[in-house]
Amino acid sequence: MDGDEVNIQMEGLLKVFRKDDREIVALKDFNLQVDDGELVCLLGPSGCGKTTVLRIVAGLEPKSGGRVSVSGEEVSGAGPNRGVVFQEFALFPWRTVRKNIEFGLEVKGIPPCEKEAVSSRYIDLVNLEGFENVHPQQLSGGMKQRVGIARALANDPAVLLMDEPFGALDAQTRNLMQKELLRIWSATEKTILFVTHSVDEAVFLADRIVVMTARPGKVKEIIPIPIPRPRDRTSPEFISVRGEVLSVLETEFEKTMAQELSGD
């Protein structure tokens, strides 16, 4: 599914947070390009800046330096060419499934008939037919996240940015949602940048895994996943790649632990 065109480009990305009288360099010299139609996972130790990268690409966090572009346009704030799915479901409890999915379309002023056609398309895509008029509190965790994905896709973004979207789910539902995401990705051919703490999840989903260093975060290694889909988590190929990724991560976990112990 890899495309020939670069969809996300990050060059020399720098992010500095100021806390009290201290400066904390979260990202430094972070460089990455994601091609059109790719599914790329960001993986690294806690505090390495994975979510910060995602938020900068989304336009939700200003960068301190460097350049970030999506579809050839420099990122200067949030925009309709990027859809974001967070770990928290972030659904409006007073709105039905359909009305949650249609929220962004309402903001755009899309006419009612067109709005309903779009929401129906994505309700069908995420397999929520029959739940159109149900409120979020009546849905399971997996179903709530499907609504979140459908809401992000309804605006037809070029890029889908996903920050630990299945982190709050139980293991069985998480595995199911990973398969659902691959099905939706195959159907929409969107570019996806996906943040995770799970090596298993990254190997199951990604075209490429970007392993980040301990803070300040930058790209340590990019590992392509040559295993055809659907992937069998028990296969020797899967276990071998998983071991390779864990080996690359090990040093960075040790650095992060040392930083935490020193209070740095």
Side-chain angles (χ1 to χ4, degrees), residues 91 96-97 100-101 126 128 139 142-152:
L91 302 179
T96 63
V97 166
N100 264 287
I101 293 170
V126 300
L128 284 174
L139 301 175
M143 294 171 80
K144 288 176 183 175
Q145 201 55 288
R146 289 187 200 183
V147 178
I149 293 170
R151 182 174 62 184

Side-chain angles (χ1 to χ4, degrees), residues 22 24 215 256-264:
R22 295 178 59 208
I24 299 172
R215 180 168 49 84
T256 297
M257 290 179 64
Q259 287 175 347
E260 290 174 352
L261 288 171
S262 68
D264 186 12

Side-chain angles (χ1 to χ4, degrees), residues 47-248:
C48 73
K50 299 184 296 293
T51 293
T52 301
V53 169
L54 204 78
R55 288 179 61 83
I56 290 172
V57 176
L60 301 175
E61 186 79 49
K63 64 186 184 298
S64 303
R67 185 175 181 276
V68 183
S69 63
V70 173
S71 301
E73 296 181 10
E74 188 155 2
V75 171
S76 59
N81 62 345
R82 286 149 287 152
V84 187
V85 180
F86 298 104
Q87 179 175 339
E88 300 81 15
F89 304 121
L91 302 179
F92 298 114
W94 59 89
R95 297 176 73 106
T96 63
V97 166
R98 183 182 295 280
K99 291 300 183 182
N100 264 287
I101 293 170
E102 290 178 350
F103 177 73
L105 303 174
E106 287 181 16
V107 172
K108 286 180 168 180
I110 302 298
C113 58
E114 184 180 345
K115 186 173 59 178
E116 184 171 346
V118 172
S119 62
S120 292
R121 175 188 170 197
Y122 287 103
I123 286 167
D124 180 65
L125 180 68
V126 300
N127 288 332
L128 284 174
E129 307 94 327
F131 294 90
E132 295 91 337
N133 300 314
V134 171
H135 287 83
Q137 60 266 32
Q138 299 169 275
L139 301 175
S140 68
M143 294 171 80
K144 288 176 183 175
Q145 201 55 288
R146 289 187 200 183
V147 178
I149 293 170
R151 182 174 62 184
L153 290 172
N155 289 313
D156 195 26
V159 170
L160 193 59
L161 304 168
M162 309 188 79
D163 186 11
E164 288 276 357
F166 310 140
L169 305 176
D170 63 83
Q172 187 174 6
T173 305
R174 185 169 185 159
N175 286 351
L176 175 64
M177 287 303 300
Q178 290 165 7
K179 293 177 182 177
E180 282 291 289
L181 176 62
L182 289 175
R183 180 184 63 80
I184 293 165
W185 172 64
S186 179
T188 61
E189 299 186 337
K190 297 294 182 186
T191 304
I192 298 179
L193 187 59
F194 188 106
V195 166
T196 181
H197 282 90
S198 168
V199 174
D200 182 271
E201 182 168 70
V203 175
F204 187 78
L205 291 176
D207 289 319
R208 294 185 295 151
I209 296 174
V210 178
V211 178
M212 293 178 61
T213 65
R215 180 168 49 84
K218 59 183 175 183
V219 175
K220 176 173 184 174
E221 190 167 334
I222 298 177
I223 302 172
I225 311 300
I227 309 169
R229 298 183 179 90
R231 293 172 182 164
D232 178 358
R233 299 175 203 264
T234 65
S235 71
E237 295 84 3
F238 191 100
I239 293 168
S240 174
V241 172
R242 186 175 182 274
E244 178 187 351
V245 176
L246 282 168
S247 177
V248 173

